[in-house]
Amino acid sequence: MINLLQKLTTKEKIGQLLQIAPFFFIKDLEKEVYGPLLDLQLNEEKIFLAGSVLGIGSATEMMEVQKQYLKKSKHQIPLLFMADIIHGYKTIFPVPLALASSWNPELVKKAARISAVEASTAGIHVTFAPMADLSRDPRWGRVVEGFGEDPYLTGVMAQSMVEGFQNDGIEKDGNLAACVKHFAGYGASEAGRDYNTVDVSRYALHNYYFEGYKKAIDAGAKLIMTAFNVIEGVPSTTNRFLLRDILRDQWKFKGVTISDYDSLKQTIAHGQAKDMEEAALNGIDAGLDIEMASSCYTNHLEKLIVSGQVDMKLLDEAVLRILELKKEIGLFENPYKGASLEQEEKLVLSKKHLAESLKVAHESAVLLKNEDVLPLDKQTKVALIGPFASSRKTQGSWSWHGRHENNQTLIEVFNLEKADVVYINDEVDALKYTKKDLEQLKTADVILVLVGEDEKWSGEAHSLSDLHLRDGQHLLVELAKSLNKKVVTVLFNGRPLVLTNISQSDAILEAWFLGTRSAQAVYDLLYGRVNPSGKLTMSFPVNVGQIPIYYNHLNTGRPLEFAENPNTYVSRYLDVGNDPLYPFGYGLSYSKFSYDPLELNSTTLQKEDALEVKVTIQNKSDVDGYEVVQLYIRDHHAKVVRPVQELKQFQKIWIPKRQKRSLTFKLTQTDLSYHLPNGDLVVEPGLFTVMVGSSAHHVEKIQFELKEDN
Ligand code: GLC
């Protein structure tokens, strides 16, 4: 690609850094694209020098755009097509927060695989996923797109998605190059308000927030997208510490960096650049390659090069990375790579894909409560009430290629399954129930209350300050309980909610947004055709005042558990406890699992050795089921204090009814290490506790000592 680079003029090089929407290439620039042209100060020459396209929706559209573009391309450098394929293309899978709740990396990889196969038939080459932003704040609407509050799990899930998307090579049809995002620390937006300030220490970045991006890069992600937020007062998009010190120098990342939508230009609003020229200078200096949906580079970089303020070397490096990526994908051989009307017809929304989506949905739901009411049997007379009885809006944000008409409603599935439904009412307002409604409702044995959030209430720019169910939906639970009926509440939402006002429910199933096959999955789980196996990856707070609340917190110098009398000077609230309503790693099953005490092969560990941690789990029920066995550690003394718990390994295992299974985890010093604020990875000898159990709060414990080097 060096030879090609050397043929390019400065204008042609700068064009490769521009990413714009597809309509610029196929609409009448004068009549139909006039406004955006003005906003971006583009003209035909600049448009037809662009390097990549943001968002494409079909093979036909992609082929038309590429054809029109290449007609005017002097060097025949094809456009690269990128899109947000986050949890499905047209077959929609559970939202990523739900995918993570499956604790099944292979399943998550499968979901990404199928998403890539479908999206690539439209000629898409790059997906802006996985989103690996760790978050501890469910007020932030984008928790729906991430994997929760734990660095290790976020890393495992991000790696699984990259492997699923990129599979056996991005040059192969059916595979997508992964662009991990948003680098960095976007999930720490203050007060959970999207795009807000992020102010976290390098200690927190290295030990919590960086893990997901790093594991995605280690898995081979080809691109990384910068975040909207600042880090240490410097916008991520122009942050040399992030883009050069960490990404290039420490992590040896060789791939392409891309801004988020307009985020280079937004460095003016942030108060860093005084104008687009300075934004361009800061961006190329920091190591930003592609500018998405703004035109600082296109309109100002040439002047900076000519004046010598920017070294041509910086531009060449960025352009070369982009050309190399296009070459690796195979675009120079076939500019229409992947786009196929025939494959689109054959593969998209295929029965096989829909069946896989159902399997993933089964394992992504989390049973939060069950007081002897689930599973239902077919003889049970049920009532379905609440807005999600008839809703098709169960695919969550970032699923716009999916169509709601492809999603069944719960009523449709219950009828298809010939369930004994005695009453249906999708009214959201309990106060509208008439005497007649109540008479009919009373004929049910169990009332299913189907409530949650509109899909639009989570996702980008959708933060909430109050996490209770909206529009008085909790009154439906109260109404049902007032009839002395068993009440099962099923939640359809994209974030942890405050559930204290539906605690009268006899059972609560967290169904998130499970995608195209959501309704069938919920039915199968409620009637025991499938045994719930999901576990939370974000804590559910008792109230918003507890936020940020997360399991892997530091102990403080005045921890609550040290206090003889909790009313002394210790770290706690006067009006609510310190614990969440439901903790990280929590989820029930129709099986009953019990853990035997842990066994170690030794109570001391030499650094170069591995400690064997054996645990036996018994299934004391008559129901076969999966259990997610979680292993946590605690490092009791370190130069830089460590969390009271850290997830380090887990296994999801099948345990048949009335049987038991033993697992042996191998703990090595890698599991026991942590990052100093400068990023150095260290491990210190001393006392550790290892914990194994069914959630962060339900564990068997045992201590061991890591010895000094011999
Ligand atoms: C959005 C999002 C980012 C997405 C991009 C392209 O603003 O922040 O996650 O990939 O724009 O749609």
Side-chain angles (χ1 to χ4, degrees), residues 1-2 4-5 16-19 51-53 66 77-83 124-128 162 165-166 169-172 175-180 220-225 248 253-258 289-290 316-335 337:
M1 289 292 109
I2 297 274
L4 174 55
L5 177 70
Q16 287 298 311
L17 310 186
L18 173 65
Q19 178 172 103
S52 57
V53 169
Q66 192 74 287
I77 303 173
L79 283 166
L80 182 58
F81 288 80
M82 307 191 191
I124 294 168
H125 308 124
V126 174
T127 176
F128 297 127
V162 170
F165 288 133
Q166 300 191 164
I170 59 174
E171 74 284 358
K172 303 258 177 64
N175 299 341
L176 296 179
C179 174
V180 61
K222 299 294 179 183
L223 301 92
I224 190 163
M225 183 190 294
R248 303 293 183 192
F253 178 62
K254 303 277 185 263
V256 171
T257 58
I258 181 170
D289 298 337
I290 297 178
D316 286 349
E317 283 168 1
V319 176
L320 197 54
R321 284 191 282 263
I322 296 163
L323 295 178
E324 291 292 351
L325 178 61
K326 292 183 177 183
K327 176 169 173 273
E328 186 179 354
I329 290 172
L331 284 180
F332 289 98
E333 286 75 33
N334 174 10
K337 179 190 179 266

Side-chain angles (χ1 to χ4, degrees), residues 423 425 427 429-441 479 483:
Y423 177 75
N425 188 338
E427 172 56 55
D429 185 351
L431 305 178
K432 287 186 179 166
Y433 275 64
T434 64
K435 199 162 177 304
K436 184 165 175 284
D437 288 316
L438 297 181
E439 286 312 311
Q440 288 178 299
L441 203 44
L479 176 73
L483 304 175

Side-chain angles (χ1 to χ4, degrees), residues 54 84 128 142 181-182 225 228 260-261 292 398 460:
L54 160 61
D84 294 281
F128 297 127
R142 301 198 76 166
K181 66 187 184 185
H182 305 79
M225 183 190 294
F228 286 123
D260 202 336
Y261 196 101
M292 182 197 294
W398 295 106
E460 182 172 357

Side-chain angles (χ1 to χ4, degrees), residues 464-655:
L464 287 173
S465 68
D466 178 355
L467 297 180
H468 289 98
L469 284 168
R470 309 178 65 74
D471 308 323
Q473 292 180 83
H474 68 287
L475 297 173
L476 292 168
V477 175
E478 286 184 17
L479 176 73
K481 281 309 285 179
S482 71
L483 304 175
N484 293 318
K485 296 293 176 182
K486 285 280 188 184
V487 174
V488 176
T489 300
V490 184
L491 297 168
F492 301 84
N493 48 298
R495 56 159 46 91
L497 296 173
V498 170
L499 302 179
T500 42
N501 64 1
I502 62 161
S503 54
Q504 302 175 61
S505 308
D506 299 288
I508 300 174
L509 179 68
E510 175 55 80
W512 308 114
F513 293 116
L514 294 174
T516 308
R517 302 290 281 127
S518 169
Q520 185 65 56
V522 168
Y523 176 88
D524 292 343
L525 288 158
L526 291 176
Y527 280 83
R529 188 177 283 166
V530 172
N531 186 357
S533 63
K535 300 275 185 178
L536 297 179
T537 65
M538 265 192 98
S539 306
F540 274 54
V542 171
N543 64 28
V544 168
Q546 285 187 321
I547 294 171
I549 184 164
Y550 50 100
Y551 88 95
N552 44 0
H553 59 80
L554 304 183
N555 202 33
T556 78
R558 294 190 171 205
L560 178 60
E561 77 274 11
F562 279 18
E564 293 73 43
N565 165 1
N567 296 321
T568 53
Y569 295 94
V570 289
S571 180
R572 63 170 176 26
Y573 302 98
L574 293 177
D575 58 347
V576 72
N578 288 2
D579 286 340
L581 185 64
Y582 297 113
F584 176 84
Y586 175 84
L588 300 176
S589 163
Y590 297 145
S591 306
K592 295 284 174 270
F593 298 114
S594 78
Y595 286 68
D596 293 355
L598 305 184
E599 298 167 53
L600 300 180
N601 65 335
S602 168
T603 54
T604 60
L605 173 65
Q606 299 299 335
K607 278 190 180 179
E608 62 284 354
D609 292 345
L611 184 75
E612 292 185 4
V613 185
K614 184 180 174 191
V615 61
T616 298
I617 305 103
Q618 302 189 45
N619 180 348
K620 295 188 167 176
S621 77
D622 293 320
V623 184
D624 302 343
Y626 278 112
E627 170 64 333
V628 178
V629 184
Q630 302 153 45
L631 181 143
Y632 300 87
I633 66 153
R634 180 177 185 177
D635 180 351
H636 288 273
H637 314 290
K639 285 190 196 65
V640 184
V641 297
R642 305 297 303 131
V644 296
Q645 267 186 307
E646 296 175 72
L647 178 74
K648 287 298 178 182
Q649 296 182 39
F650 63 87
Q651 283 192 38
K652 186 166 191 175
I653 59 169
W654 181 256
I655 309 180

